[in-house]
Each structure stands twice: as structure tokens, then as C-alpha cells.
Amino acid sequence: GYGIADLPNIRVCLEKMRRVPASELEAVHAGWLRAQSQASSKEIIVWTARNERLVWRIQTSDPLIWPDGRTVIIQSMFDLTEQKRLEDSLRTSQDEMRVRLAELESLYSSAPLGLGMIDRDLKFVRVNEALAEMNAETKYRESFPTPEA
């Protein structure tokens, strides 16, 4: 038998199986690629004995006729566990960021003291209403964009 490291792609797999003549390898490989692009796809979740969650995508082709006349169905499995873990982590981080941003916006708009943000050139890019009111009499009023601006 072969391990996954021994079969890095379908071309190597077909070569090692030696059931496809070398002269027909290109045609079979092209047929496999075509079959996989039209294959039905299904995700499954498997729980291991150590209570680890694994996510796999299984693609199954329609029956194909190989050059030697056999009818085959090609099935491929792809491990999506790490991808799904990263997607879940990203989603959690984004949800937490939205909550923190809402808290910051609430604090910024309701603070009784003046708050402002400046850019690298030390120019105000945003001020809250309290700071805008404190500077209402100055010539810099128009350079203080408020949260509504």
C-alpha cells in the first residue's frame, strides 16, 4: 500500500497503480480532472476517540469508462479540518471585534470629556461631540469631524 506522502497527486497515483498504460495516462488524467470538476461534493464531520473533530470533503464522480473498458467511480477525500478551524477562529475574532468596536463607539459618543483622534501629521481626524463643543468658538471648528460626519 501507499501512504498519502507517496501519492502527492493523481498523476503519481495513476502511474503507481500501473493499470493505465503510459500512452493513455494523459487522457485518463484529463478525464479524472473533468470528472472531479463535475463531482458531487459532501462535507462530513468525524469525531475521533480523543474527541477531536475532523472535517472532510468527499467528492464522488459519476461512473467513468476507462481506456481498458472498466467502469469506475472516482472518490476523493480532502481534509478540511485546519481550514474549518481557522474559519471558526476568524469568525470568533470578528464577532469579538464587533462587540469591542460597539463598546468603544458607545464610550466615545457618550463620554462627557473631550476625546479626539489625530493622524501622523498631528491633525484631528475625529473628535467626539464634547470636544467639538469645547472648541466651538475657535477657528478650528470645521477641522473637527464629529462621529456623524
Side-chain angles (χ1 to χ4, degrees):
Y2 296 105
I4 194 69
D6 301 320
L7 306 171
N9 57 48
I10 189 62
R11 178 181 294 285
V12 174
C13 181
L14 291 171
E15 289 171 1
K16 289 194 184 246
M17 286 183 351
R18 294 192 182 134
R19 293 206 173 184
V20 178
S23 61
E24 297 174 3
L25 188 60
E26 283 300 319
V28 171
H29 184 246
W32 182 86
L33 292 174
R34 223 179 3 266
Q36 287 304 300
S37 70
Q38 300 167 353
S40 64
S41 184
K42 178 180 178 182
E43 280 188 19
I44 62 168
I45 297 174
V46 178
W47 292 93
T48 67
R50 292 188 206 127
N51 206 25
E52 296 170 320
R53 178 178 173 247
L54 303 177
V55 182
W56 289 81
R57 183 176 69 220
I58 300 175
Q59 286 184 252
T60 306
S61 73
D62 290 334
L64 301 167
I65 307 295
W66 283 41
D68 64 2
R70 289 180 297 146
T71 301
V72 297
I73 295 175
I74 300 173
Q75 193 169 57
S76 304
M77 295 180 68
F78 303 93
D79 186 356
L80 302 177
T81 304
E82 184 65 12
Q83 177 184 337
K84 293 297 182 180
R85 188 191 63 75
L86 290 172
E87 288 173 1
D88 291 346
S89 177
L90 177 61
R91 195 173 6 268
T92 300
S93 294
Q94 288 174 333
D95 291 346
E96 289 174 8
M97 182 205 54
R98 283 187 202 94
V99 168
R100 298 296 172 257
L101 181 60
E103 290 171 351
L104 185 59
E105 287 290 333
S106 176
L107 176 66
Y108 200 82
S109 64
S110 64
L113 55 128
L115 298 172
M117 293 184 186
I118 57 174
D119 62 14
R120 291 181 179 176
D121 299 324
L122 301 178
K123 292 183 182 176
F124 281 101
V125 292
R126 184 171 175 197
V127 297
N128 69 348
E129 198 58 43
L131 185 56
E133 287 174 14
M134 288 179 211
N135 291 292
E137 302 300 317
T138 71
K139 62 180 181 177
Y140 302 109
R141 172 71 173 135
E142 56 277 350
S143 67
F144 287 172
T146 59
E148 296 81 35

